[in-house]
Amino acid sequence: MMQPRLLIVDDEPHMGRMLRTILGAHGYAIQIATEGLDAVEVAATWKPHVIILDLGLPGLDGFEVCRRIRRWSEVPIIVLTVRDADQAKVTALDLGADDYLTKPFSVNELLARIRVALRHAARRPNQPDPILTFDTLTIDRARRRVTNEGVEIHLTPTEYDLLLVLAGNDGKVLTHRMLIRAIWGDNTEHDLPALRVFINQLRRKIEPDPLNPTFIITEPGIGYRFRLAS
Amino acid sequence: MRNQKPPLPTRFTLSTDHEPRKPSSSAGRMISYLVLSGVGMGLLTLLLVTISTFHPLTAALVYIVPIVISATTVGRWPGLFCALLAFLAINFFFVPPYGTLWVASFEDALRLGIFLGVALVVGELASRAQDRAVAARERAIQLNALYTLSQAVSAEVDLARILPTISTMTCTLLPIAHCRIVLVDAPPTAGEPLPLAAEPAPTATPPLAAVATRETVIAIVGSDQRPLAEIVLTQPHDQPALTHAEQETLHTIALQTALVIERARLVREAARAQTLAESDRLKTALLASVSHDLRTPLAVIKGAVSGLLDESIHLSTQDRTELCTSIEAETDRLYRLVSDLLEMSQIETGGLPHNTTLHDPGETIRTIVAQLRPRLAPHPMLLALPDDLPLVDVHHSHLERILTNLIENAALYTPPTAPIEITAHADAAALWVAVMDRGAGIPLALRDRIFEKFVRGIGPERHAHGSGLGLAICKGLVEAHGGRIWIEDRPGGGAAFYFTLPLHGGTKVYDATATANR
């Protein structure tokens, strides 16, 4: 696509300037909003491809901005938080944010997350490819077959569902709640311990070294992230 | 009920004295009643004999009346005595042979016998009914009193108000002379003395020292088996022990007292828990704020540096300069924030340097203003200082810091071209300095709070700059030197920050806990 548009929502002037300079040098078109209300306005008029949102906004806070934008747009939102605010991250993700970064972050990480977000956004309108490939792991969604280096792996229905949700959102963080909901629905009694059990089972089946997972990455306190497709 | 005094520590006692209740019928009264009955029966007999047309049966029926009357109004024994007298009277006066106690015919003997039996039974029944009526009435009074007690108790949480009521009620309900409720000291978890009056209630009635007394002690335990209090009852020695019904009443009172004390305790603990929760919440909020303020400049620095190092992108010279400027500015900001935090920590733990020397405040003010002028441009900075300011005994960096913080604050919260004025003068006791601006002023509600940590004023710059500690540091330093700091409105708009520093012999207090209590 021609110059992807990034909306940066942060009230710190130096942060905005720094991101504009560097992300601009990477070929993105940048606009900066320093207030929540402005952010919602610019999101509606300028139609950015990705929004980078600081949760610590004064006035209309980051959560509210997220909520409001999500009412009418699926635009990917990456939130910036401080490390200790686990609950804030989970809340933001549950409100519709797609990913998060903790300050201080490396710009390369930010760039990677932006790329993931753009890729997922681009996929949605098209017919998704039934075959997902991650290094040696192949998932054929049409035939419900999972193979690693050509050898078929037998997964229980729940394990398969879990793998699909993770792999279908590769590169993006998924909260525990999102995963539980995706597999078992809304009114389920399954909770975090149950999820962990299935994650471990899945890891044992697909990871070359289950104790040092490379496919299913744990995001402590938040959820899990599947590695990027190759 | 235990009859010994346990060695429990007592913090608080309440006592109520009461007139001892008159004991029920004594021997003297009984004799007088019997005499009265005898006299009454005699008179009646006289009456009946003179109206000699009475049939013995009629006489018998007439005699029933005084029997019933005395059984119901006076008591069981007078009633029976009357019955006996009636029997004798009828036998003597109305049954042939007249004038003797001998009975001639079998029928007459039968009639007499039946009469006696009936009279005795009637007397007995009448007196029993009366007993029951009296007991029921007494019970009703007791229940009413207990109900009133529980009504009063249910509304009250203050032990100092309710325990006297319970004491008084106990004295009313039970035949005791004196009632004392003694609270047991709270267990270690409370950590504070009971909030009740320390001195015992004054004893208005004369002490019972002359009469030998007997004490009964009831221990009241809480729902967790912890001793809460004791009810100590004093009775004169010659009084009978409490009846079963009275013991039941006492039990109920003890239960009510236990509930009251427990509830008062729970209310206190709830209030304390709430305060702790609020304080915790505040601390968490403050920590989050500081965390954000520290990490954001770091994020900018890290981002800028990684951008500068990134070989995959092309940055113009202007871009590079801009990034480097950001790095420098954010580093300064971090430095200021860290210094402020350290200084605040020093003030709070009493770690301020104590070595003071005499300084010329005029020179210090002029130096600081000269330093700040370029940084705070375009704010015009106006000085009005007399030439002859006396020397002050301060630590050199403290005065500089106080001035710097106040002046920077003025610049931060006012429009860029608003003037900042600094004036000073001295009187016999102290040096007075004022830093005045032409901004929006400080609202009355905020004037005290603004010197607290992390409280920021209202303004567009409030989030981007400053640690929220500047004024708290000023206050800490000023007060450590024995001075005062406050805000006033300026005629024409804006705020004026005043502070004083004592000139000689002012009390220097370097421990913030002492200043906090001033």
Side-chain angles (χ1 to χ4, degrees), chain A residues 11-12 14-15 17-18 21-22 25-26 54 56 58 82 84 103-108, chain B residues 291 295-296 299-300 302-304 306-307 310 313-314 319 322 326 329-330 333 462-463:
Chain A
D11 65 317
E12 305 279 345
H14 284 289
M15 175 70 88
R17 269 194 283 251
M18 184 267 294
T21 308
I22 297 178
H26 277 272
D54 177 25
V82 292
D84 341 345
K103 295 194 242 188
F105 51 84
S106 95
V107 179
N108 288 330
Chain B
S291 173
R295 288 178 205 280
T296 303
V300 174
K302 184 178 166 105
S306 66
D310 193 345
I313 53 169
H314 173 260
D319 284 342
E322 210 180 281
S326 286
E330 293 297 270
R333 186 172 149 203
R462 77 183 189 294
H463 214 258

Side-chain angles (χ1 to χ4, degrees), chain B residues 348-360:
Chain B
E348 288 196 327
T349 59
L352 284 176
H354 293 211
N355 46 328
T356 61
T357 46
L358 292 171
H359 291 277
D360 175 4

Side-chain angles (χ1 to χ4, degrees), chain B residues 110-412:
Chain B
L110 195 61
R111 278 192 214 116
L112 268 176
I114 291 176
F115 168 78
L116 184 61
V118 168
L120 290 174
V121 169
V122 164
E124 177 64 27
L125 288 177
S127 81
R128 250 192 234 174
Q130 180 62 6
D131 282 348
R132 276 202 214 109
V134 165
R137 213 170 29 242
E138 270 181 16
R139 196 72 197 144
I141 293 173
Q142 285 221 339
L143 283 176
N144 201 38
L146 282 175
Y147 178 69
T148 315
L149 175 65
S150 69
Q151 285 284 82
V153 156
S154 70
E156 196 55 73
V157 194
D158 185 359
L159 284 181
R161 280 209 286 269
I162 197 57
L163 291 183
T165 312
I166 297 179
S167 283
T168 316
M169 199 66 83
T170 314
C171 290
T172 320
L173 290 170
L174 299 174
I176 55 176
H178 191 94
C179 173
R180 228 167 61 230
I181 302 184
V182 173
L183 287 171
V184 172
D185 198 357
T189 49
E192 56 176 33
L194 293 168
L196 300 167
E199 73 279 2
T203 37
T205 57
L208 297 167
V211 183
T213 56
R214 183 178 67 232
E215 274 194 348
T216 316
V217 176
I218 317 294
I220 302 178
V221 290
S223 51
D224 53 358
Q225 305 311 312
R226 255 183 11 219
L228 289 177
E230 291 185 320
I231 302 182
V232 181
L233 306 174
T234 316
Q235 292 172 292
H237 211 76
D238 54 354
Q239 231 178 22
L242 298 176
T243 66
H244 184 73
E246 285 163 348
Q247 285 184 30
E248 293 278 305
T249 309
L250 183 58
H251 189 74
T252 311
I253 293 172
L255 224 61
Q256 288 283 350
T257 314
L259 287 174
V260 166
I261 295 172
E262 279 216 317
R263 193 178 59 214
R265 199 154 281 174
L266 284 174
V267 164
R268 264 207 313 275
E269 281 176 15
R272 200 168 342 139
Q274 197 174 20
T275 313
L276 279 176
E278 181 61 30
S279 149
D280 268 348
R281 192 197 61 81
L282 219 70
K283 279 189 212 149
T284 313
L286 288 178
L287 205 62
S289 170
V290 172
S291 173
H292 181 273
D293 288 346
L294 283 174
R295 288 178 205 280
T296 303
L298 285 172
V300 174
I301 294 168
K302 184 178 166 105
V305 166
S306 66
L308 288 166
L309 290 173
D310 193 345
E311 293 177 341
S312 68
I313 53 169
H314 173 260
L315 291 169
S316 67
T317 318
Q318 192 193 356
D319 284 342
R320 289 184 178 278
T321 312
E322 210 180 281
L323 287 176
C324 290
T325 314
S326 286
I327 294 173
E328 188 174 31
E330 293 297 270
T331 311
D332 284 342
R333 186 172 149 203
L334 260 183
Y335 176 73
R336 269 203 309 276
L337 181 55
V338 169
S339 309
D340 282 354
L341 284 170
L342 283 174
E343 190 149 20
M344 202 63 227
S345 171
Q346 269 187 329
I347 292 175
E348 288 196 327
T349 59
L352 284 176
H354 293 211
N355 46 328
T356 61
T357 46
L358 292 171
H359 291 277
D360 175 4
E363 196 188 313
T364 311
I365 297 174
R366 274 183 267 267
T367 314
I368 294 291
V369 168
Q371 274 178 9
L372 292 174
R373 197 173 259 130
R375 247 211 344 220
L376 302 180
H379 286 280
M381 312 243 292
L382 312 166
L383 286 179
L385 308 172
D387 290 325
D388 58 349
L389 285 174
L391 302 180
V392 276
D393 191 17
V394 292
H395 189 277
H396 66 92
S397 67
H398 293 177
L399 183 54
E400 287 172 13
R401 164 64 85 204
I402 297 168
L403 287 165
T404 309
N405 282 8
L406 287 177
I407 298 171
E408 280 185 341
N409 227 43
L412 215 54

Side-chain angles (χ1 to χ4, degrees), chain A residues 3-45:
Chain A
Q3 231 186 9
R5 297 189 290 277
L6 298 183
L7 168 60
I8 299 171
V9 187
D10 196 311
D11 65 317
E12 305 279 345
H14 284 289
M15 175 70 88
R17 269 194 283 251
M18 184 267 294
L19 287 176
R20 185 204 288 275
T21 308
I22 297 178
L23 295 175
H26 277 272
Y28 294 100
I30 309 288
Q31 266 220 34
I32 302 179
T34 55
E35 270 191 359
L37 284 173
D38 275 349
V40 179
E41 181 77 24
V42 174
T45 52

